[in-house]
Amino acid sequence: MASMNPENPRSIEFQSILTDLQSYDHKSYKNGYIEYYPGDEDSFILLTVGHGGGLEPANIPKRSKPPNEPLETSKRVAVRKDACTMEMTIVLWKELWKLLKSRPHMVINHLHRRKVDVNREEVIGTSDHKDSRAAWRAYHAYIEEARREIIGRHNRGLLLDIHGHQHDGDYIELGYAIPPASYGLDMSRVSGSSIQDLVRRTGLTLSDLTVGDLSLGHLFEVEGHPALPSPQRTDPSSFKYYSGGFTIQTWGSRKGDHCDAIQLELPRKLRFNEYNSTSKMLARVLERFIRCFYFDE
C-alpha cells in the first residue's frame, strides 16, 4: 500500500487495521497509485474513496484547465483533498466486515487530487494528461470489476463513495444523483437517481428512501448526527449541498442495472481527530440500512 500521510496521527487501532489490510491479496496499479481489495463472495458492498490520497509523483503534472476546453472549465478544477477520508474508509471497511460478517470490496485512489480527480469526467479529472488519464481509468476499471462481480453473484449491490466537505452546518450530506431543486417538487416525477434499483425492488417511493422515516438520513438523525436530506431537512436546495458526483452518477443504478450508489460527504469535525469513532458510527448506521434493504428476507 502507498504511504498515506494523514493530517492527524494514526491511532494504534488504525495501525493494526492497516497492517491487517495489507496482508490481504489485492490488485494494484503502478506503484500502488490505485488499489482494489476484492471482497468476500457473499459481499454486495463496495466502498470507494477517491479524494483522500496524498501521492504527488513528478511524472504527473498538476491539474489545470484541459486543452481545447472553454475558459469557464477552469472553475471546475478543484484540487483540495478530502482529508482523512482514506483512513475513515479503511476503518469503515473493517467495521462493516465485523457487523455484516462479510468483507466488503474496496477501491482506493492514493494520488492527490492535484494529480487526478476520479470523481469528475475524465477530461476534467485528468487535464487530459496521459499518466493521470491512465490512473483515472484504472480506478474506474477496478470499480467496474467489483461491481460486475457483485451484480453477477447477487443481482443487487450498494456502492458507498466516501468524501468530505467544509460546508456550514456540519451535516452528513447524502448524494443520490438527484438535483437539489427536485426535492421541492413531486418526487414521483424524478428519474435517474443512483438508487433507482432500490426503488424498483422495494416498491417504495424515492421520497420514502431519501427523506422519509426509512431513509438513510433518518438513521443518521436517530444516531444524533444531522443529515441532509432527511425528514428534518427535506429540501437541500436551501443549503450548500453535494448531490453526487461522477462516481455515483456512472456506477449507480440510474441507467437501470442493479447496483445502487450513495455519496457520503462527512463534515470536517467528524473527520479530524475523530475518524475512528466516526467510522464506527457510520458502520452502525449503514448496517441497519443494508440489513433492511439488501439482505435477503
Side-chain angles (χ1 to χ4, degrees), residues 88 172 225 266-272 274-275 278 281:
M88 288 180 62
I172 295 175
H225 295 278
L266 288 307
R268 184 181 176 91
K269 79 169 190 176
L270 290 181
R271 290 181 283 127
F272 284 79
E274 295 184 25
Y275 65 78
T278 296
M281 176 276 293

Side-chain angles (χ1 to χ4, degrees), residues 172-245:
I172 295 175
E173 299 178 10
L174 304 168
Y176 305 98
I178 300 171
S182 296
Y183 285 90
L185 305 174
D186 180 359
M187 292 285 279
S188 66
R189 299 188 177 187
V190 176
S191 62
S193 83
S194 60
I195 56 168
Q196 280 299 114
D197 191 58
L198 184 58
V199 173
R200 178 194 63 79
R201 286 193 297 105
T202 62
L204 296 169
T205 67
L206 194 56
S207 181
D208 291 333
L209 292 167
T210 56
V211 297
D213 289 343
L214 295 173
S215 67
L216 187 54
H218 176 67
L219 293 177
F220 279 117
E221 295 279 354
V222 169
E223 188 76 17
H225 295 278
L228 184 69
S230 68
Q232 289 76 13
R233 282 162 289 277
T234 59
D235 184 2
S237 65
S238 57
F239 298 83
K240 287 186 176 180
Y241 162 71
Y242 292 130
S243 61

Side-chain angles (χ1 to χ4, degrees), residues 54-69:
L55 294 182
E56 299 192 60
N59 63 298
I60 301 179
K62 291 182 179 180
R63 292 169 52 238
S64 60
K65 183 182 78 65
N68 304 317
E69 286 290 308

Side-chain angles (χ1 to χ4, degrees), residues 88-146:
M88 288 180 62
T89 303
I90 292 171
V91 178
L92 176 61
W93 169 84
K94 184 71 172 188
E95 291 300 314
L96 282 175
W97 184 2
K98 290 179 185 177
L99 294 172
L100 299 174
K101 312 301 182 187
S102 180
R103 180 177 45 172
H105 300 257
M106 180 168 60
V107 177
I108 301 172
N109 169 38
H110 287 281
L111 290 169
H112 198 288
R113 199 175 181 187
R114 280 191 284 264
K115 301 293 185 169
V116 63
D117 189 338
V118 293
N119 200 35
R120 298 289 186 273
E121 59 269 29
E122 183 177 337
V123 68
I124 303 298
T126 67
S127 295
D128 210 25
H129 183 273
K130 63 180 180 64
D131 292 330
S132 181
R133 193 166 60 239
W136 186 98
R137 290 178 179 177
Y139 180 83
H140 287 283
Y142 284 147
I143 292 177
E144 184 176 19
E145 179 180 346

Side-chain angles (χ1 to χ4, degrees), residues 63-66 70-79 120 124:
R63 292 169 52 238
S64 60
K65 183 182 78 65
L71 182 61
E72 58 267 22
T73 296
S74 62
K75 298 177 182 178
R76 294 188 285 162
V77 182
V79 296
R120 298 289 186 273
I124 303 298

